[in-house]
Amino acid sequence: MARVAIFGATSAIAAAVAERLARRGDQLHLVGRDPQKLAAVAARCVALGAAVTTARADLAALDRATSLCAEAVGALKVMDLALIAHGDLGDQLASERSFSDAERTLRVNLTSVVALLIPLANYFEGRRGGGLAVMTSVAGERGRPRNYTYGTAKGALHVYLQGLRS
C-alpha cells in the first residue's frame, strides 16, 4: 500500500489515476479546487476500497503551497508519492492583450507547480525516498499560435523538472 497525495485531483486524468490507485488499496490524500468534484472523486475512490482524505484548495494561491504539502503529510502520516496534475489552458488571446491574464496562466501552470515541488522535494530528500510525478503537456515542446502562453509555462516546467531530477 502506497500513501499518495494528488494535487489537482479533480482533473480527468488525475481522477482516473486516483481510481486506479484506489483499486490497489493505496491511501489517498486528494487536493482540488472544486468541492463537488473533489467529493465525487473521493467517493468513487472510497467505493473502490481506498482510505481517502481531501483538502479544498486553489493551487494558484502560492502562499498556501508549503502548508498544503504539510497537510498532505499530516493526513497520510508518511507520503510515498506526490502527483501534481493541475493546470489551465487559460485564454491565449487574453494573455496576448493583458499581462495579468498572461501571468495567471504562467502562475497556474508553472509557478504554482514549483511552489509545491520545493517543499515536496525537500520532504522526500529528507526521507531519502519517495517519488514525485508531474503532469506536463506536449504544448511545452514548441510554441503554437493558439496556446503559446500555456506552452511557455509547460516548457519551462519541463526544464525545471530536468534539473530537479538531477
Side-chain angles (χ1 to χ4, degrees), residues 27-145:
Q27 181 182 352
L28 305 175
H29 181 71
L30 307 176
V31 182
R33 182 180 55 220
D34 183 302
Q36 287 80 27
K37 287 182 181 178
L38 187 61
V41 173
R44 289 193 306 271
C45 291
V46 167
L48 292 167
V52 179
T53 54
T54 63
R56 191 218 157 278
D58 177 358
L59 295 170
L62 304 179
D63 59 335
R64 290 244 14 244
T66 299
S67 64
L68 286 172
C69 295
E71 290 168 21
V73 170
L76 295 167
K77 308 299 182 238
V78 174
M79 187 186 326
D80 299 309
L81 173 68
L83 169 63
I84 301 174
H86 71 279
D88 183 3
L89 281 171
D91 179 327
Q92 179 57 44
L93 189 55
S95 77
E96 293 172 27
R97 297 197 168 125
S98 161
F99 175 73
S100 64
D101 284 306
E103 188 276 332
R104 183 183 188 303
T105 299
L106 295 169
R107 181 173 10 101
V108 168
N109 295 292
L110 171 62
T111 314
S112 68
V113 178
V114 172
L116 291 169
L117 284 169
I118 291 171
L120 290 169
N122 287 322
Y123 170 79
F124 289 126
E125 186 175 33
R127 269 195 71 218
R128 298 184 152 288
L132 281 169
V134 181
M135 301 276 180
T136 62
S137 172
V138 69
E141 291 182 11
R142 63 181 171 84
R144 292 171 172 82

